[in-house]
Amino acid sequence: MKILLTGVTGYIGKRLLPVLLQEGHEVVCALRDSDRFPFSDRVRKKVQLLEIDFLEADSLQSIPEDIEAAYYLIHSMSATADYIELERRCAINFREKMNHTQLQQTIYLTGMTNDDELSKHLLSRKMVEDELAKGQFALTALRAGIIIGSGSASFEIIRDLVEKLPIMVAPKWLKTRCQPIGIRDVLSFLIKSLGDKRLYNQNFDIAGPDVLTYREMLLTFAEVRGLKRWIFTVPVMTPRLSAYWLYFVTSTTYNLAKALVDSMKVEVVARDTELNEWLDIQPADYEESIRRAFKKIEAYDIGSSWKDAMISGRLQRDISDFIEVPKHGVFKDFRQQVVADEINTLNKIWAIGGQTGYYYATWLWKIRGYLDKLVGGVGLRRGRTNVNKINRGDAIDFWRVLFADKTEQRLLLYAEMRVPGDAWLEFKIEDGILHQQATFRPKGIFGRLYWYVVWPFHGFIFSNMLRRIADESPAPYTVNT
């Protein structure tokens, strides 16, 4: 079957594509920036890539007319304050274009909307579903609540809270009920719904067997991880305070925290589970979903993470706009060092950031990350999805990966921290020499002042980082080729 896959760079899309290819489908991937295609060249050769911005109707003209099915996985939540209008426009543009193709079925993964009062986020999801339902194709809407899996936003927030806070003083929304589902089961529903005419023009709730309060989810998570935790709820904590609480304690962005807090006041419990019987799927319970997630984490096999989405940082434009490092009107810190072992040095470069750190004065990088978070930046909260795998578009702490090629032995990062300008950090090995360059393009007088303030620190931080990356000490992880 010829399938259009939207949202391929997102948490669900990155996991769904390999399954679709394994099932033998012909997949057309729609993404705004082909440089962000998060798979190897081997996978790239198996799919058709289309650069499409669903906010721009004209860009959809390249979609083939012989598309038979589509997965609509486009979400704009937390990207901007007006994400409702953005999501509506995307849905309308998709519907109008697909009305002129051979599309038979669109599968839309959305949120549960069973409560009497819905959050802004869930109202937006329902509005998108209503717009898609007006199309001349059949719509199958799969409504999920909390998705539990390594790298999912909900899972990472729960993990941060439980692992960082032995005692929690939390808002009363921890008493709200929800019905979580594991990512593996979500993928099963997405795959088995494809082409099933019984599901045409219908919506279904998909959920695991457990109905839990958020408090019970936190305590169960702690129990599975062998941790003792105490949670106290307070009757008064404004949504703004709740959002800031999540923002400073967990890895989420403030915009996403605000949207999640709004949604956490809404009960997300399935109406029924009849689809389980129709598709012969028995979702795992909450505890098993947690254990599955940690098996992936411990094996360094995290297929995708919400942190790699562009909405997790400040780089909202295409990567291609920044991949050419400017040469004029910039400040540079360039250093080079003969390497003892090119492979070992490459391994070190590919493991930088996250739990590895920066090889020298990592505590100073942590202070810089903390200060960045205080002013609304991303800080070091994102870490990295995999300890030794890097794809274009991935997040590494407060960096965004613009280019990563092991064959060329080159890594280019762009800073998403709050700075008065644009900053790049590049590593490249050529003829046994490691080249390291930090480039800063200042914005106004404050940008120039910023460079001169931090310049003294560069002298010992960058020089020692370069020396340790190039020396003979073993790399913490092995690069997967």
Side-chain angles (χ1 to χ4, degrees), residues 393-454:
D394 284 358
I396 297 179
D397 296 329
F398 42 45
W399 303 100
R400 179 72 62 178
V401 178
L402 299 183
F403 185 87
D405 191 305
K406 298 172 195 158
T407 304
E408 292 188 21
Q409 301 187 118
R410 178 183 176 224
L411 176 66
L412 177 62
L413 307 174
Y414 175 80
E416 292 193 296
M417 66 189 81
R418 293 295 181 97
V419 290
D422 297 302
W424 294 259
L425 180 61
E426 182 175 12
F427 300 94
K428 187 169 185 177
I429 302 174
E430 288 183 318
D431 300 323
I433 298 176
L434 171 61
H435 303 272
Q436 173 188 283
Q437 179 169 300
T439 304
F440 181 68
R441 179 169 58 191
K443 184 177 182 180
I445 186 65
F446 290 107
R448 293 179 177 274
L449 289 174
Y450 171 82
W451 175 263
Y452 289 120
V453 168
V454 301

Side-chain angles (χ1 to χ4, degrees), residues 8-232:
V8 68
T9 60
Y11 177 71
I12 300 294
K14 286 173 73 172
R15 301 201 178 205
L16 183 59
L17 176 59
V19 183
L20 291 173
L21 293 176
Q22 187 176 1
E23 294 283 325
H25 296 291
E26 180 182 356
V27 184
V28 177
C29 297
L31 66 170
R32 195 176 68 177
D33 182 3
S34 60
D35 284 333
R36 286 204 65 225
F37 185 67
F39 294 94
S40 65
D41 289 338
R42 179 178 58 83
V43 176
R44 182 183 285 258
K45 292 176 182 178
K46 295 181 180 180
V47 303
Q48 180 181 354
L49 298 183
L50 300 179
E51 288 198 342
I52 293 175
D53 183 348
F54 282 90
L55 290 172
E56 303 294 335
D58 290 343
S59 71
L60 278 69
Q61 298 310 309
S62 59
I63 296 177
E65 293 187 2
D66 59 346
I67 292 291
E68 300 170 82
Y71 285 95
Y72 193 87
L73 304 175
I74 300 171
H75 299 308
S76 303
M77 186 180 73
S78 88
T80 63
D82 60 344
Y83 66 84
I84 290 181
E85 175 58 22
L86 298 181
E87 293 196 337
R88 188 185 70 85
R89 282 169 51 194
C90 286
I92 291 175
N93 289 340
F94 173 88
R95 182 191 71 209
E96 294 305 306
K97 169 57 184 177
M98 303 313 291
N99 280 344
H100 296 89
T101 69
Q102 299 174 24
L103 180 66
Q104 300 170 26
Q105 179 193 26
T106 292
I107 299 174
Y108 173 45
L109 180 62
T110 181
M112 285 189 197
T113 54
N114 301 327
D115 209 337
D116 294 333
E117 294 186 14
L118 299 178
S119 65
K120 180 181 176 182
H121 154 226
L122 290 174
L123 282 171
S124 179
R125 295 288 189 266
K126 184 64 170 62
M127 175 208 62
V128 169
E129 182 179 331
D130 292 341
E131 291 293 348
L132 296 177
K134 298 175 185 176
Q136 297 175 16
F137 46 82
L139 177 66
T140 301
L142 301 179
R143 300 173 174 177
I146 298 292
I147 296 177
I148 301 299
S150 56
S152 79
S154 301
F155 176 85
E156 296 299 336
I157 288 173
I158 293 170
R159 182 184 179 189
D160 282 343
L161 290 173
V162 172
E163 295 185 352
K164 293 179 180 179
L165 301 176
I167 300 174
M168 297 179 224
V169 179
K172 62 181 180 180
W173 47 252
L174 255 65
K175 298 178 181 179
T176 305
R177 297 191 310 159
C178 60
Q179 198 166 351
I181 182 172
I183 179 61
R184 185 185 302 182
D185 297 314
V186 171
L187 294 175
S188 294
F189 280 111
L190 288 170
I191 291 296
K192 290 192 174 184
S193 297
L194 184 63
D196 191 328
K197 294 184 178 180
R198 297 175 299 172
L199 280 55
Y200 284 13
N201 298 314
Q202 294 197 66
N203 59 72
F204 302 89
D205 292 342
I206 59 173
D210 299 321
V211 177
L212 305 165
T213 65
Y214 287 108
R215 184 177 187 276
E216 289 170 335
M217 288 178 66
L218 291 170
L219 292 176
T220 301
F221 191 102
E223 185 179 345
V224 171
R225 299 299 294 161
L227 301 170
K228 188 67 175 178
R229 294 295 182 258
W230 292 267
I231 301 176
F232 303 94

